Amino acid sequence: MASLWRAAMGSTQAPDDYEGVEFWSNPERVGWLTKQGEYIKTWRRRWFILKQGKLFWFKESIVTRSSRPRGVIPVATCLTVKGAEDVLNKQFAFELSTRAETMYFIADSEKEKEDWINSIGRSIVQQSRSVTDREIVDYDNK
């Protein structure tokens, strides 16, 4: 049923499709965030890892090669990341938006919130440059 829901919502990434990203080794950013659930809109504290254009989350902060993420967001699908205190009426809140949905997170402090927004924002730019570079190479090779 979950795969049907993902297909309907436009998310085609298979649960084990990490595209070779070794999320357990040398991440770009890690930390605890409180995330709103996708289906049941409760708030849950999760350990997040940003690496190579993917934002992974886990139940525990000890992450190894055998760990399985609770979810992953390909940053290349993201359009914006920005503060959302006014939307949620919660301190240190921010949102990450794709064409299909907007996800909400709460950091532990203003600094953590700004650091996550900056890190994810940089990753969005890097991923968009990477896509543009591949498109240019493809056009040049035609």
Side-chain angles (χ1 to χ4, degrees):
M1 189 65 160
S3 61
L4 178 62
W5 179 257
R6 278 190 207 94
M9 295 306 288
S11 176
T12 57
Q13 187 161 358
D16 290 335
D17 182 15
Y18 312 132
E19 296 177 9
V21 177
E22 296 178 350
F23 50 77
W24 60 90
S25 174
N26 301 315
E28 294 154 31
R29 177 152 193 75
V30 299
W32 289 105
L33 292 171
T34 302
K35 177 190 173 298
Q36 191 174 43
E38 186 175 357
Y39 307 112
I40 300 170
K41 300 297 183 186
T42 56
W43 292 94
R44 298 216 166 121
R45 194 160 165 84
R46 297 289 185 239
W47 183 254
F48 281 80
I49 295 177
L50 179 64
K51 183 164 182 187
Q52 292 177 296
K54 304 244 186 285
L55 183 62
F56 300 92
W57 64 92
F58 302 83
K59 276 190 171 182
E60 305 292 330
S61 62
I62 298 169
V63 176
T64 65
R65 181 185 302 261
S66 62
S67 297
R68 289 291 163 248
R70 301 290 294 172
V72 58
I73 301 167
V75 174
T77 66
C78 298
L79 303 173
T80 62
V81 59
K82 61 185 180 181
E85 282 110 340
D86 54 340
V87 175
L88 296 176
N89 201 26
K90 292 184 182 287
Q91 197 173 22
F92 317 133
F94 67 96
E95 66 182 52
L96 184 57
S97 297
T98 68
R99 282 195 174 100
E101 65 182 319
T102 298
M103 295 152 279
Y104 295 100
F105 306 88
I106 301 171
D108 291 341
S109 69
E110 182 66 24
K111 181 181 183 332
E112 282 288 306
K113 179 191 92 167
E114 291 301 324
D115 288 349
W116 275 107
I117 289 172
N118 290 336
S119 295
I120 294 168
R122 264 193 309 277
S123 188
I124 290 171
V125 169
Q126 288 167 351
Q127 294 304 306
S128 68
R129 281 188 188 149
S130 173
V131 168
T132 302
D133 290 347
R134 282 196 301 269
E135 287 172 356
I136 291 170
V137 170
D138 287 346
Y139 290 133
D140 288 345
N141 289 328
K142 287 187 177 182

